[in-house]
Amino acid sequence: MSPEVLFHKDHSFVSDYFALGVILFECAFGYRPYVGQSWAEIRELLLNKEIQINKDKQYSQNMIDFINSLLKTNP
């Protein structure tokens, strides 16, 4: 869930891009970008931690840049 949807702010297709970024991250790495013990902990991570994938030899730089661009919490 994107930050805009989480706080019931005006949102548009940008929220869908964020969701696509989360799905691609999970498909590529096998785990979710925001992991916590409770919904509140995940929410705090979502709001305070911007995911930034570092260069990895296993994945192309284009894929990493694409996912990083989709996972912007403040687009």
Side-chain angles (χ1 to χ4, degrees):
M1 187 180 302
S2 71
E4 297 89 9
V5 174
L6 186 67
F7 287 106
H8 306 289
K9 293 182 179 180
D10 291 333
H11 57 278
S12 63
F13 62 91
V14 177
S15 298
D16 296 332
Y17 289 156
F18 184 86
L20 177 62
V22 170
I23 291 167
L24 290 175
F25 184 98
E26 190 170 351
C27 288
F29 298 103
Y31 58 93
R32 295 178 182 170
Y34 302 100
V35 180
Q37 297 296 324
S38 66
W39 173 245
E41 188 177 334
I42 293 170
R43 193 184 109 205
E44 287 300 315
L45 288 172
L46 179 67
L47 296 176
N48 298 320
K49 180 183 175 189
E50 181 138 340
I51 298 296
Q52 187 69 29
I53 305 168
N54 296 323
K55 188 174 181 177
D56 190 336
K57 294 178 185 176
Q58 185 177 359
Y59 302 103
S60 73
Q61 189 60 42
N62 289 334
M63 186 198 80
I64 291 171
D65 291 342
F66 182 60
I67 294 174
N68 281 337
S69 66
L70 291 173
L71 289 176
K72 300 288 182 196
T73 55
N74 191 7

